[in-house]
Every structure is written in C-alpha cells, then in structure tokens.
Amino acid sequence: LIIVLIAAVVGIYLFVPSVGSRISYLLSPEYIVSSLRGGRLVRWQTGLNMFMENFIFGVGLGHFGGAVAMNNNIPGTFYMDNYYLKTAVEGGILGLGAFLILVVNVMIWGMRTIYRLGRVQDRERFNFAVSIFSGLAGVLAHNLVENVFEVPMMNTYFWLLTAVLMYIWYE
C-alpha cells in the first residue's frame, strides 16, 4: 500500500499541473522570501523573538497568536501557525516543558499499550489502539503548522481518545 501511495503522489505531482506548480513553488526561494515578508515564517520569527524575551513564564495564556487573543483584540497579536511555539510564547519554557512532558507521556503510554496488545495477540483491540495512536500522532504533527487545539472539538476529541487509549492499557 505504501508503494501505491508513493506512486499516486508522484503521479499527481507529474500529471496535475496545478498541484505540481504549487509544490514546486513551496520549495522555491521565492516562497521563502514571500513567507519571510508576510507569511508563516515571519510569524514564527516574531514568535521566537517574543519567546526569547519572555523565556521563563511567557506573556500569559490567551495573550498571543491564537483565536482567543484575536477575538479579544489584544494589540500586536496574530494567528500563529504552530501550537508549540504559541504555547512557548504564552507559557514560557515552563509551560512548554509541562505540555511536552504531557504529550511525550501520552505517546510513550500509547506505544506501551500497542506493544502489550501485540504480545497478547488481541488483533481487534490492537488495531483499535494503533488507529487511535496514529490519529493522536497525526494531530500532534499537524500542530507544528497549525493550531489544531484552538478548535474546542479537536481538543476534546484528542484528549477523549487519549483517555480511551489509556483505558485499553488497564482493561
């Protein structure tokens, strides 16, 4: 299936001109310059600068780069396309560290659950756990380029499925 998927992606790139040109542009120096002028990269650069200025405690929750700050018209705010950087700016190294410890533990316990189910050869629960774990990993990866947790429904589903995965461990 992976070979078929790779072939499909290459085929789309080669035979669908609009997709091919978009991907080519994303990898070009012109895109980098444009993004540094008014896109994602300038926002990331601004976020990193603010993080370094408020390294320990941050600027406070809801005061930077997200829907809460924008909805409350906090001066100098904009939408930050990286949840981890947003967390770092708002919570400082302490807030980011606490969040990363939580996320790493979710991933470790998820992998332990999968390993344990693989050993007892319960295919149905094993596949269920792998599916949940994959979804959680996908959301965490997506948070590198978006604020997925800013959407209450996504945040709720993430932690609900985390709880289900943890429950499978103890079941």
Side-chain angles (χ1 to χ4, degrees):
L1 287 176
I2 292 175
I3 293 170
V4 171
L5 181 63
I6 291 171
V9 169
V10 170
I12 290 171
Y13 176 77
L14 294 175
F15 299 114
V16 180
S18 61
V19 173
S21 65
R22 176 70 175 152
I23 292 171
S24 296
Y25 177 68
L26 286 172
L27 301 173
S28 71
E30 293 85 18
Y31 173 76
I32 302 290
V33 169
S34 174
S35 188
L36 281 170
R37 193 173 43 247
R40 176 174 286 158
L41 294 179
V42 75
R43 290 193 300 258
W44 286 3
Q45 191 173 44
T46 302
L48 283 171
N49 291 340
M50 289 182 72
F51 172 59
M52 296 312 289
E53 290 170 7
N54 303 283
F55 186 75
I56 306 262
F57 298 111
V59 297
L61 297 177
H63 285 96
F64 173 76
V68 173
M70 291 183 70
N71 290 341
N72 290 297
N73 298 320
I74 294 177
T77 194
F78 50 83
Y79 194 78
M80 174 57 69
D81 289 334
N82 183 320
Y83 188 78
Y84 303 103
L85 184 54
K86 175 189 172 301
T87 302
V89 174
E90 289 185 345
I93 195 68
L94 296 176
L96 178 64
F99 181 69
L100 291 177
I101 287 169
L102 176 64
V103 166
V104 166
N105 275 292
V106 165
M107 293 289 100
I108 288 170
W109 280 96
M111 288 185 286
R112 286 179 178 169
T113 300
I114 290 168
Y115 177 74
R116 179 176 178 219
L117 291 174
R119 290 183 57 207
V120 297
Q121 303 201 354
D122 183 346
R123 296 311 291 169
E124 186 175 316
R125 286 184 14 191
F126 175 81
N127 290 336
F128 187 56
V130 168
S131 299
I132 292 173
F133 182 82
S134 299
L136 297 178
V139 168
L140 293 174
H142 193 186
N143 270 323
L144 289 167
V145 293
E146 186 60 68
N147 280 340
V148 177
F149 285 156
E150 288 272 313
V151 179
M153 177 191 66
M154 288 297 297
N155 202 344
T156 302
Y157 282 146
F158 180 89
W159 295 110
L160 176 71
L161 289 172
T162 297
V164 169
L165 189 61
M166 297 303 109
Y167 175 77
I168 292 170
W169 169 264
Y170 290 106
E171 184 180 36

PDB file of all heavy atoms in Angstrom, residues 37-55:
ATOM      1  N   ARG A  37       8.420  37.806   4.359  1.00  0.00           N
ATOM      2  CA  ARG A  37       7.909  39.165   4.249  1.00  0.00           C
ATOM      3  C   ARG A  37       6.538  39.302   4.913  1.00  0.00           C
ATOM      4  O   ARG A  37       6.243  40.321   5.523  1.00  0.00           O
ATOM      5  CB  ARG A  37       7.849  39.570   2.771  1.00  0.00           C
ATOM      6  CG  ARG A  37       7.642  41.015   2.531  1.00  0.00           C
ATOM      7  CD  ARG A  37       7.758  41.438   1.060  1.00  0.00           C
ATOM      8  NE  ARG A  37       7.089  40.524   0.139  1.00  0.00           N
ATOM      9  CZ  ARG A  37       7.722  39.765  -0.764  1.00  0.00           C
ATOM     10  NH1 ARG A  37       9.028  39.811  -0.879  1.00  0.00           N
ATOM     11  NH2 ARG A  37       7.047  38.959  -1.569  1.00  0.00           N
ATOM     12  N   GLY A  38       5.683  38.294   4.786  1.00  0.00           N
ATOM     13  CA  GLY A  38       4.358  38.454   5.361  1.00  0.00           C
ATOM     14  C   GLY A  38       3.616  37.145   5.556  1.00  0.00           C
ATOM     15  O   GLY A  38       2.393  37.144   5.607  1.00  0.00           O
ATOM     16  N   GLY A  39       4.327  36.058   5.711  1.00  0.00           N
ATOM     17  CA  GLY A  39       3.675  34.765   5.842  1.00  0.00           C
ATOM     18  C   GLY A  39       4.026  34.046   7.123  1.00  0.00           C
ATOM     19  O   GLY A  39       4.382  34.649   8.141  1.00  0.00           O
ATOM     20  N   ARG A  40       3.967  32.729   7.036  1.00  0.00           N
ATOM     21  CA  ARG A  40       4.192  31.871   8.192  1.00  0.00           C
ATOM     22  C   ARG A  40       5.578  32.074   8.808  1.00  0.00           C
ATOM     23  O   ARG A  40       5.715  32.116  10.030  1.00  0.00           O
ATOM     24  CB  ARG A  40       4.007  30.416   7.766  1.00  0.00           C
ATOM     25  CG  ARG A  40       4.295  29.422   8.846  1.00  0.00           C
ATOM     26  CD  ARG A  40       3.953  28.023   8.401  1.00  0.00           C
ATOM     27  NE  ARG A  40       2.512  27.887   8.404  1.00  0.00           N
ATOM     28  CZ  ARG A  40       1.839  26.993   7.703  1.00  0.00           C
ATOM     29  NH1 ARG A  40       2.472  26.155   6.932  1.00  0.00           N
ATOM     30  NH2 ARG A  40       0.526  26.933   7.773  1.00  0.00           N
ATOM     31  N   LEU A  41       6.594  32.194   7.997  1.00  0.00           N
ATOM     32  CA  LEU A  41       7.957  32.288   8.540  1.00  0.00           C
ATOM     33  C   LEU A  41       8.179  33.571   9.337  1.00  0.00           C
ATOM     34  O   LEU A  41       8.876  33.556  10.345  1.00  0.00           O
ATOM     35  CB  LEU A  41       8.992  32.150   7.422  1.00  0.00           C
ATOM     36  CG  LEU A  41       9.044  30.778   6.745  1.00  0.00           C
ATOM     37  CD1 LEU A  41      10.094  30.754   5.631  1.00  0.00           C
ATOM     38  CD2 LEU A  41       9.316  29.682   7.750  1.00  0.00           C
ATOM     39  N   VAL A  42       7.585  34.689   8.907  1.00  0.00           N
ATOM     40  CA  VAL A  42       7.740  35.930   9.679  1.00  0.00           C
ATOM     41  C   VAL A  42       6.992  35.812  11.003  1.00  0.00           C
ATOM     42  O   VAL A  42       7.442  36.334  12.032  1.00  0.00           O
ATOM     43  CB  VAL A  42       7.316  37.181   8.882  1.00  0.00           C
ATOM     44  CG1 VAL A  42       5.817  37.311   8.752  1.00  0.00           C
ATOM     45  CG2 VAL A  42       7.889  38.435   9.522  1.00  0.00           C
ATOM     46  N   ARG A  43       5.849  35.114  11.015  1.00  0.00           N
ATOM     47  CA  ARG A  43       5.123  34.925  12.271  1.00  0.00           C
ATOM     48  C   ARG A  43       5.929  34.031  13.208  1.00  0.00           C
ATOM     49  O   ARG A  43       5.980  34.265  14.412  1.00  0.00           O
ATOM     50  CB  ARG A  43       3.734  34.340  11.991  1.00  0.00           C
ATOM     51  CG  ARG A  43       2.824  35.347  11.304  1.00  0.00           C
ATOM     52  CD  ARG A  43       1.382  34.899  11.312  1.00  0.00           C
ATOM     53  NE  ARG A  43       1.174  33.639  10.630  1.00  0.00           N
ATOM     54  CZ  ARG A  43       0.669  33.507   9.405  1.00  0.00           C
ATOM     55  NH1 ARG A  43       0.328  34.576   8.727  1.00  0.00           N
ATOM     56  NH2 ARG A  43       0.497  32.323   8.861  1.00  0.00           N
ATOM     57  N   TRP A  44       6.533  32.979  12.678  1.00  0.00           N
ATOM     58  CA  TRP A  44       7.377  32.108  13.504  1.00  0.00           C
ATOM     59  C   TRP A  44       8.564  32.884  14.061  1.00  0.00           C
ATOM     60  O   TRP A  44       8.939  32.719  15.218  1.00  0.00           O
ATOM     61  CB  TRP A  44       7.859  30.910  12.708  1.00  0.00           C
ATOM     62  CG  TRP A  44       6.815  29.867  12.452  1.00  0.00           C
ATOM     63  CD1 TRP A  44       5.493  29.901  12.808  1.00  0.00           C
ATOM     64  CD2 TRP A  44       7.009  28.623  11.788  1.00  0.00           C
ATOM     65  NE1 TRP A  44       4.857  28.759  12.397  1.00  0.00           N
ATOM     66  CE2 TRP A  44       5.766  27.958  11.760  1.00  0.00           C
ATOM     67  CE3 TRP A  44       8.100  28.004  11.191  1.00  0.00           C
ATOM     68  CZ2 TRP A  44       5.594  26.712  11.182  1.00  0.00           C
ATOM     69  CZ3 TRP A  44       7.925  26.766  10.618  1.00  0.00           C
ATOM     70  CH2 TRP A  44       6.683  26.122  10.617  1.00  0.00           C
ATOM     71  N   GLN A  45       9.165  33.727  13.219  1.00  0.00           N
ATOM     72  CA  GLN A  45      10.306  34.524  13.667  1.00  0.00           C
ATOM     73  C   GLN A  45       9.881  35.480  14.789  1.00  0.00           C
ATOM     74  O   GLN A  45      10.575  35.619  15.803  1.00  0.00           O
ATOM     75  CB  GLN A  45      10.863  35.302  12.478  1.00  0.00           C
ATOM     76  CG  GLN A  45      12.186  35.956  12.705  1.00  0.00           C
ATOM     77  CD  GLN A  45      12.705  36.555  11.407  1.00  0.00           C
ATOM     78  OE1 GLN A  45      11.965  37.189  10.663  1.00  0.00           O
ATOM     79  NE2 GLN A  45      13.983  36.340  11.134  1.00  0.00           N
ATOM     80  N   THR A  46       8.733  36.111  14.628  1.00  0.00           N
ATOM     81  CA  THR A  46       8.202  37.005  15.660  1.00  0.00           C
ATOM     82  C   THR A  46       7.931  36.230  16.943  1.00  0.00           C
ATOM     83  O   THR A  46       8.265  36.686  18.045  1.00  0.00           O
ATOM     84  CB  THR A  46       6.907  37.683  15.168  1.00  0.00           C
ATOM     85  OG1 THR A  46       7.185  38.388  13.964  1.00  0.00           O
ATOM     86  CG2 THR A  46       6.350  38.623  16.220  1.00  0.00           C
ATOM     87  N   GLY A  47       7.341  35.054  16.817  1.00  0.00           N
ATOM     88  CA  GLY A  47       7.066  34.219  17.980  1.00  0.00           C
ATOM     89  C   GLY A  47       8.343  33.817  18.708  1.00  0.00           C
ATOM     90  O   GLY A  47       8.410  33.856  19.935  1.00  0.00           O
ATOM     91  N   LEU A  48       9.353  33.420  17.956  1.00  0.00           N
ATOM     92  CA  LEU A  48      10.640  33.051  18.583  1.00  0.00           C
ATOM     93  C   LEU A  48      11.253  34.230  19.322  1.00  0.00           C
ATOM     94  O   LEU A  48      11.779  34.067  20.432  1.00  0.00           O
ATOM     95  CB  LEU A  48      11.616  32.527  17.531  1.00  0.00           C
ATOM     96  CG  LEU A  48      11.361  31.103  17.056  1.00  0.00           C
ATOM     97  CD1 LEU A  48      12.255  30.765  15.868  1.00  0.00           C
ATOM     98  CD2 LEU A  48      11.596  30.117  18.187  1.00  0.00           C
ATOM     99  N   ASN A  49      11.178  35.422  18.728  1.00  0.00           N
ATOM    100  CA  ASN A  49      11.709  36.614  19.397  1.00  0.00           C
ATOM    101  C   ASN A  49      10.956  36.895  20.698  1.00  0.00           C
ATOM    102  O   ASN A  49      11.568  37.190  21.729  1.00  0.00           O
ATOM    103  CB  ASN A  49      11.642  37.827  18.474  1.00  0.00           C
ATOM    104  CG  ASN A  49      12.597  37.719  17.310  1.00  0.00           C
ATOM    105  OD1 ASN A  49      13.568  36.956  17.344  1.00  0.00           O
ATOM    106  ND2 ASN A  49      12.320  38.453  16.255  1.00  0.00           N
ATOM    107  N   MET A  50       9.625  36.782  20.655  1.00  0.00           N
ATOM    108  CA  MET A  50       8.834  37.011  21.869  1.00  0.00           C
ATOM    109  C   MET A  50       9.107  35.948  22.922  1.00  0.00           C
ATOM    110  O   MET A  50       9.143  36.247  24.116  1.00  0.00           O
ATOM    111  CB  MET A  50       7.349  37.062  21.531  1.00  0.00           C
ATOM    112  CG  MET A  50       6.938  38.307  20.780  1.00  0.00           C
ATOM    113  SD  MET A  50       5.167  38.361  20.454  1.00  0.00           S
ATOM    114  CE  MET A  50       4.539  38.700  22.091  1.00  0.00           C
ATOM    115  N   PHE A  51       9.304  34.708  22.485  1.00  0.00           N
ATOM    116  CA  PHE A  51       9.632  33.626  23.411  1.00  0.00           C
ATOM    117  C   PHE A  51      10.950  33.925  24.114  1.00  0.00           C
ATOM    118  O   PHE A  51      11.069  33.771  25.333  1.00  0.00           O
ATOM    119  CB  PHE A  51       9.689  32.297  22.662  1.00  0.00           C
ATOM    120  CG  PHE A  51      10.210  31.151  23.485  1.00  0.00           C
ATOM    121  CD1 PHE A  51       9.571  30.768  24.660  1.00  0.00           C
ATOM    122  CD2 PHE A  51      11.329  30.455  23.090  1.00  0.00           C
ATOM    123  CE1 PHE A  51      10.049  29.703  25.418  1.00  0.00           C
ATOM    124  CE2 PHE A  51      11.812  29.392  23.839  1.00  0.00           C
ATOM    125  CZ  PHE A  51      11.171  29.024  25.002  1.00  0.00           C
ATOM    126  N   MET A  52      11.943  34.363  23.374  1.00  0.00           N
ATOM    127  CA  MET A  52      13.247  34.666  23.977  1.00  0.00           C
ATOM    128  C   MET A  52      13.158  35.851  24.939  1.00  0.00           C
ATOM    129  O   MET A  52      13.871  35.884  25.939  1.00  0.00           O
ATOM    130  CB  MET A  52      14.293  34.929  22.888  1.00  0.00           C
ATOM    131  CG  MET A  52      14.566  33.706  22.013  1.00  0.00           C
ATOM    132  SD  MET A  52      14.856  32.178  22.913  1.00  0.00           S
ATOM    133  CE  MET A  52      16.453  32.490  23.606  1.00  0.00           C
ATOM    134  N   GLU A  53      12.257  36.795  24.665  1.00  0.00           N
ATOM    135  CA  GLU A  53      12.089  37.954  25.553  1.00  0.00           C
ATOM    136  C   GLU A  53      11.350  37.577  26.840  1.00  0.00           C
ATOM    137  O   GLU A  53      11.516  38.241  27.863  1.00  0.00           O
ATOM    138  CB  GLU A  53      11.311  39.058  24.828  1.00  0.00           C
ATOM    139  CG  GLU A  53      12.080  39.725  23.709  1.00  0.00           C
ATOM    140  CD  GLU A  53      11.191  40.638  22.870  1.00  0.00           C
ATOM    141  OE1 GLU A  53      10.008  40.852  23.227  1.00  0.00           O
ATOM    142  OE2 GLU A  53      11.692  41.120  21.832  1.00  0.00           O
ATOM    143  N   ASN A  54      10.516  36.569  26.784  1.00  0.00           N
ATOM    144  CA  ASN A  54       9.702  36.143  27.927  1.00  0.00           C
ATOM    145  C   ASN A  54       9.939  34.662  28.179  1.00  0.00           C
ATOM    146  O   ASN A  54       9.004  33.867  28.258  1.00  0.00           O
ATOM    147  CB  ASN A  54       8.217  36.393  27.642  1.00  0.00           C
ATOM    148  CG  ASN A  54       7.937  37.835  27.317  1.00  0.00           C
ATOM    149  OD1 ASN A  54       7.891  38.673  28.199  1.00  0.00           O
ATOM    150  ND2 ASN A  54       7.765  38.138  26.044  1.00  0.00           N
ATOM    151  N   PHE A  55      11.181  34.290  28.306  1.00  0.00           N
ATOM    152  CA  PHE A  55      11.621  32.897  28.259  1.00  0.00           C
ATOM    153  C   PHE A  55      11.050  32.031  29.375  1.00  0.00           C
ATOM    154  O   PHE A  55      10.600  30.923  29.123  1.00  0.00           O
ATOM    155  CB  PHE A  55      13.155  32.847  28.288  1.00  0.00           C
ATOM    156  CG  PHE A  55      13.715  31.479  28.090  1.00  0.00           C
ATOM    157  CD1 PHE A  55      13.716  30.893  26.837  1.00  0.00           C
ATOM    158  CD2 PHE A  55      14.232  30.762  29.156  1.00  0.00           C
ATOM    159  CE1 PHE A  55      14.224  29.628  26.640  1.00  0.00           C
ATOM    160  CE2 PHE A  55      14.745  29.491  28.975  1.00  0.00           C
ATOM    161  CZ  PHE A  55      14.739  28.927  27.718  1.00  0.00           C
TER     162      PHE A  55
END
